[in-house]
Amino acid sequence: MTVRNNIRIAALKSTWIWVTCIVLTLFSCVQDSTNTSAENGVTIYPAIANRVETAIVTRTRLDVGNTTDKYDDALISDGTVLRAYAVENTGASQHNYGGSFRYSNHSWRSSVTVESGHGYSIYAFTPITMPGATNQEFNFGVTQNSNNEDVFNLNSTALSFTGIDILTTTDPMVSVAVAGRQALLNSNGQELDNQGHVIENENIEIPVINKGSFNIGTVTTDVGNNEVENHTYHKIWMAMDHLYAKATISFCIDQTYHQIRDIRLKQAWITVSNGSLSGNHVYSFTNGLTLDPNAAFSSKDLTIDLMTGPTAKENRDHEKDYATLTEEYKEYSWFCFLPISYVPELTYPMVTLHVTYDVYDRDGNEVRLNQPAQNTFPLNEFIRDDLARIVPKPADHFKIKVKIKPSYLYQLIDDDAEIKLDIIRTD
């Protein structure tokens, strides 16, 4: 007989590695054939961590074997939704289940249930559909042999899809390590001892977790104490890795020019015209992302709003529709991009930074209004402060610093000069 039980996913701490770099010039549906809910099943409540991007600051609570990467659950952003699959370890497809994990208000909610008495491996990814992808499907580990017979192997679990966007305001991630054990938890998700007392985080027993292993063991409701009023769970720890690299855009104004002018930034956005990588792609949970050998960058216009988009910071002046630039860099927005390291033989499309701004003198008088400017820069290589050339890889985080430095710094009458914005290398 199967008994309903709860599986809680506890997150691994992820370590971010940030690369500070300078630019030299300015949902389709997921197709599922799995069961959606076990009639008498185990609900999975997650707390999930992602890998720290390549950064100076690293924090870690948990180590993951078979890798030097670090993981931190403090880096999961509010509103994150993961698609998750529970694959029965012996290939009994009638016991496979799928659902989602949603992080909101510092806690996880789950629609994933599995059956007590069965062993499972858990696979997850976010966003629910890869950026710009179509025909997305999850393979539960079944392939065909030379005799066209179905063969089950957990190492064959994979996500397949057609096409993928090279720019996105999501942060695509996939699970790379999972481990689990039985646990006793209250309604707030806190782990309890056999007397029903909350166990402090530093005293919680953490199972061994290794990159490439997704087995959470056999799910059961028996935790050795049926007298404490609570819920029983099979608690699991999950680590997520980034599939894309990340770029954060900062703006400031040149100090010398600022002596005579203010610039009020009204709009800023990134565009690319060949924004899709065509082909049939596969993410193997064992072997990683494999792009179609015939993949090519194809025509698709993508735009990312740096002022008011989903990843933008609120830098606008109080109750105004513009941001007055300062001499100190301020971060405005971030976006993720598909690293050229996946397709080094291809020529990566250039992206363009567009801005619209007003120019005022230091007494607040209008000089020029609604002026456009743009600059094109590459994403296939970045030049760091120490002049090192960096080819982006998954989980790299680049700081793109944009200094507004018009070419006519000492011109006091602006009507006879065309203003330009230069993106320059800065320290």
Side-chain angles (χ1 to χ4, degrees):
M1 176 171 111
T2 57
V3 183
R4 177 168 294 278
N5 188 25
N6 287 330
I7 297 180
R8 183 170 184 83
I9 299 182
L12 293 182
K13 289 282 188 180
S14 157
T15 311
W16 300 66
I17 307 169
W18 299 68
V19 179
T20 303
C21 294
I22 310 302
V23 170
L24 289 178
T25 61
L26 195 51
F27 288 96
S28 67
C29 295
V30 177
Q31 298 179 1
D32 290 331
S33 58
T34 186
N35 305 313
T36 57
S37 179
E39 182 178 353
N40 294 301
V42 181
T43 302
I44 302 177
Y45 291 93
I48 299 169
N50 57 293
R51 182 175 137 206
V52 178
E53 295 168 350
T54 311
I56 297 171
V57 178
T58 61
R59 297 181 306 165
T60 180
R61 186 182 66 182
L62 294 172
D63 290 325
V64 180
N66 298 333
T67 180
T68 58
D69 298 330
K70 303 298 180 181
Y71 296 83
D72 192 335
D73 59 9
L75 303 172
I76 294 291
S77 59
D78 200 58
T80 296
V81 179
L82 290 85
R83 182 64 173 165
Y85 293 91
V87 180
E88 212 277 346
N89 287 333
T90 65
S93 60
Q94 69 272 25
H95 301 304
N96 291 340
Y97 294 94
S100 62
F101 304 135
R102 181 181 296 273
Y103 186 66
S104 179
N105 296 323
H106 308 292
S107 62
W108 286 95
R109 299 292 183 267
S110 171
S111 66
V112 182
T113 60
V114 297
E115 295 185 30
S116 180
H118 294 270
Y120 286 93
S121 291
I122 302 292
Y123 304 89
F125 54 89
T126 185
I128 290 178
T129 302
M130 290 293 109
T134 59
N135 304 320
Q136 182 170 300
E137 295 183 1
F138 180 79
N139 185 314
F140 286 84
V142 177
T143 58
Q144 287 190 328
N145 61 18
S146 57
N147 296 322
N148 293 324
E149 298 170 329
D150 286 344
V151 177
F152 172 75
N153 187 330
L154 278 173
N155 290 333
S156 298
T157 52
L159 187 68
S160 62
F161 47 92
T162 301
I164 190 169
D165 287 350
I166 65 173
L167 300 184
T168 177
T169 54
T170 64
D171 187 0
M173 292 184 289
V174 289
S175 58
V176 294
V178 186
R181 62 169 174 78
Q182 298 166 353
L184 203 62
L185 297 133
N186 61 22
S187 58
N188 294 322
Q190 296 170 301
E191 189 166 351
L192 309 175
D193 61 21
N194 286 335
Q195 286 73 47
H197 302 133
V198 174
I199 303 174
E200 298 298 326
N201 286 338
E202 59 270 19
N203 296 324
I204 290 177
E205 175 193 352
I206 299 170
V208 175
I209 181 167
N210 292 306
K211 189 170 184 178
S213 176
F214 302 89
N215 192 345
I216 66 170
T218 300
V219 173
T220 177
T221 58
D222 182 12
V223 294
N225 186 348
N226 295 321
E227 297 180 1
V228 178
E229 293 184 3
N230 48 51
H231 301 283
T232 55
Y233 296 77
H234 192 92
K235 187 175 181 179
I236 70 174
W237 283 255
M238 179 180 289
M240 306 288 292
D241 266 7
H242 301 272
L243 284 178
Y244 280 44
K246 192 177 195 178
T248 297
I249 305 288
S250 299
F251 288 97
C252 78
I253 188 171
D254 176 78
Q255 183 180 19
T256 304
Y257 182 69
H258 196 214
Q259 294 174 5
I260 59 172
R261 294 288 184 264
D262 281 331
I263 289 183
R264 298 177 181 178
L265 194 62
K266 300 176 73 174
Q267 293 178 304
W269 66 100
I270 297 286
T271 63
V272 65
S273 57
N274 294 323
S276 178
L277 189 68
S278 64
N280 298 314
H281 315 304
V282 176
Y283 178 80
S284 164
F285 286 86
T286 301
N287 301 314
L289 181 61
T290 301
L291 299 176
D292 192 314
N294 297 315
F297 293 110
S298 58
S299 178
K300 185 177 184 179
D301 293 330
L302 299 177
T303 299
I304 294 176
D305 187 338
L306 302 178
M307 294 284 287
T308 61
T311 63
K313 293 188 176 183
E314 182 50 81
N315 285 321
R316 290 176 295 183
D317 295 11
H318 182 61
E319 296 184 346
K320 303 295 183 181
D321 64 350
Y322 59 79
T324 302
L325 297 183
T326 69
E327 296 174 19
E328 299 295 326
Y329 283 106
K330 285 186 179 179
E331 293 185 354
Y332 273 70
S333 187
W334 61 263
F335 63 92
C336 286
F337 61 98
L338 191 71
I340 189 64
S341 56
Y342 286 129
V343 284
E345 71 283 359
L346 298 182
T347 301
Y348 205 100
M350 300 284 280
V351 298
T352 302
L353 170 64
H354 306 259
V355 299
T356 302
Y357 56 89
D358 294 339
V359 182
Y360 284 77
D361 65 22
R362 296 310 300 273
D363 293 325
N365 300 310
E366 296 178 2
V367 176
R368 281 171 168 257
L369 300 182
N370 298 315
Q371 294 300 299
Q374 66 182 46
N375 228 317
T376 300
F377 62 92
L379 290 175
N380 62 302
E381 184 180 74
F382 289 83
I383 300 178
R384 207 167 53 191
D385 287 347
D386 60 3
L387 302 183
R389 293 182 177 271
I390 307 298
V391 176
K393 304 181 300 300
D396 283 350
H397 189 163
F398 297 90
K399 299 295 189 74
I400 299 175
K401 299 177 180 178
V402 182
K403 178 175 285 188
I404 309 306
K405 188 177 182 179
S407 57
Y408 56 99
L409 293 181
Y410 300 104
Q411 182 151 344
L412 300 182
I413 300 174
D414 293 53
D415 287 340
D416 61 348
E418 180 181 355
I419 190 168
K420 290 196 212 172
L421 302 182
D422 295 330
I423 302 178
I424 64 171
R425 239 175 62 50
T426 60
D427 295 332

